[in-house]
Amino acid sequence: MIYWNSVGDFLAMGGYGVYVWGSFGVTALVMAVEPILVVRQRKNTIARLKRQLRAEERAATRSTTA
Amino acid sequence: MTDRFNLYRFASPATFYPLAGRMIPWFVVAAVIFGAAGLWFGMLVAPTDFQQGEGYRIIFIHVPASWMSMFIYLVMAFWAAIGLAFNTRLSGMMTQALAPTGALMAFLSLWTGALWGKPMWGAWWVWDARLTSELILLFLYIGYLALTAAIDDTRRADKAGALLLLVGVVNIPIIYFSVKWWNTLHQGSSVNFAKSSMAVTMLWGMLLMALCFWMYSIAVALARVRTIMLERERNTDWARAELAGEKAVGEQSS
């Protein structure tokens, strides 16, 4: 069922190894990095918005007590 | 209160936000399963191509990436039209969330195309109708992102971005039909619904990889749109409630 005779054959890709693995490698890299960036940006945004919210709340209590 | 299913309800960020959050894990799981199955068929089971040898296997990412780059643009143009016509808040958030993924898909299409073109045509790049119009698509994505980033007012940025998207949509049929309209080095479409030119396992590999790219794009775009929603809706009650429930980085849980 599996087309290849050996791991070496599979990696060589009939002489097209550089092109095939160059394509798959960069695609895998992009698809690994993009989600990491999305998650990181989400964390940063949430942290910043929470800081702003707390600052607003502090300002609000100060103005009511003063 | 009405029991009738109301589609407009989901166009409201307050209902879309939690719904998107619940859907993301399912799309991630689907992307991994389709990706594993697609790689199995495409890289391990499918036979060699009698003309292109093993080099043809680039097709399993080149075609899905190219399809996604065009389809994501169409979805963005659809949201842009809705936004301009009905002034909906969700539209600008959707296009903003989709654009980076669309740009990456266009880049992957060009990158894998170059790595395929070199051994088959002897050139990384040729100024051919298919390749040039796909490059213009990448520039449209970058142009949209740069334009909307340059305008501080969100509503105006959305409007300008939507206009750019609608003008640029003419490029999509040009990409799609370029192999028919002009003499080109690029091969014709591999999937033909009347008579496919591919072996069954190759076709399966490609369709499964296409599904994987779909699921991936949806998951990433949904995750990104949730962040954009929180940011833009930060002064509403629902966003404040969501923010209160989120644990910030380095914060003690209480």
Side-chain angles (χ1 to χ4, degrees):
Chain A
M1 179 167 157
I2 286 181
Y3 168 78
W4 308 96
N5 292 318
S6 70
V7 178
D9 273 5
F10 175 65
L11 293 178
M13 280 284 152
Y16 293 107
V18 178
Y19 305 106
V20 172
W21 298 120
S23 298
F24 279 80
V26 170
T27 305
L29 189 72
V30 163
M31 287 185 151
V33 169
E34 191 191 9
I36 291 172
L37 291 179
V38 168
V39 169
R40 184 186 296 173
Q41 183 167 21
R42 178 169 176 78
K43 281 184 181 155
N44 289 342
T45 304
I46 285 173
R48 175 166 49 80
L49 291 177
K50 281 182 88 94
R51 270 199 307 276
Q52 285 174 3
L53 205 62
R54 273 200 300 274
E56 277 174 35
E57 277 163 8
R58 271 198 302 276
T61 46
R62 213 176 297 136
S63 62
T64 47
T65 50
Chain B
M1 281 252 316
T2 166
D3 286 354
R4 250 180 47 210
F5 176 73
N6 190 348
L7 202 62
Y8 291 105
R9 215 165 63 87
F10 291 102
S12 139
T15 32
F16 192 90
Y17 183 91
L19 181 72
R22 282 197 300 276
M23 288 191 310
I24 291 168
W26 294 101
F27 285 113
V28 172
V29 168
V32 170
I33 292 173
F34 285 133
L39 287 175
W40 173 268
F41 276 106
M43 298 308 277
L44 296 177
V45 179
T48 189
D49 183 79
F50 77 101
Q51 277 183 326
Q52 305 194 355
E54 310 304 344
Y56 93 92
R57 290 183 200 273
I58 294 172
I59 203 173
F60 296 116
I61 42 178
H62 178 72
V63 169
S66 308
W67 280 348
M68 283 319 296
S69 72
M70 290 189 280
F71 187 73
I72 289 174
Y73 193 92
L74 286 180
V75 175
M76 286 170 66
F78 165 80
W79 280 111
I82 299 277
L84 285 179
F86 303 108
N87 215 6
T88 44
R89 279 179 300 165
L90 191 62
S91 307
M93 304 187 202
M94 285 295 193
T95 49
Q96 203 68 53
L98 283 162
T101 305
L104 282 173
M105 290 297 165
F107 162 74
L108 285 177
S109 166
L110 292 166
W111 174 264
T112 55
L115 281 167
W116 200 357
K118 184 65 183 167
M120 300 305 162
W121 306 334
W124 301 104
W125 179 262
V126 284
W127 291 102
D128 150 294
R130 178 51 79 76
L131 280 69
T132 308
S133 51
E134 181 73 25
L135 182 65
I136 290 173
L137 180 65
L138 177 62
F139 290 160
L140 281 169
Y141 279 122
I142 295 171
Y144 169 82
L145 287 167
L147 177 68
T148 49
I151 303 172
D152 284 334
D153 184 78
T154 313
R155 279 191 168 292
R156 297 185 64 156
D158 281 350
K159 219 163 238 179
L163 281 173
L164 174 79
L165 289 171
L166 285 179
V167 172
V169 81
V170 68
N171 189 43
I172 298 296
I174 295 180
I175 300 175
Y176 191 78
F177 293 111
S178 57
V179 286
K180 278 187 187 164
W181 291 345
W182 292 287
N183 279 322
T184 159
L185 212 50
H186 196 283
Q187 66 200 54
S189 50
S190 314
V191 180
N192 185 320
F193 288 103
K195 179 178 70 71
S196 184
S197 58
M198 298 172 84
V200 180
T201 43
M202 290 182 192
L203 197 64
W204 268 108
M206 205 168 83
L207 293 179
L208 286 165
M209 287 306 281
L211 281 169
C212 163
F213 275 56
W214 267 76
M215 298 299 131
Y216 168 87
S217 303
I218 295 173
V220 172
L222 283 180
R224 200 179 278 121
V225 85
R226 269 163 60 87
T227 309
I228 296 171
M229 280 177 174
L230 272 189
E231 169 104 61
R232 291 196 184 183
E233 304 269 302
R234 59 183 176 275
N235 291 323
T236 63
D237 289 341
W238 77 263
R240 279 164 189 250
E242 290 289 350
L243 267 179
E246 292 282 353
K247 215 169 69 183
V249 192
E251 195 189 32
Q252 300 276 311
S253 57
S254 51

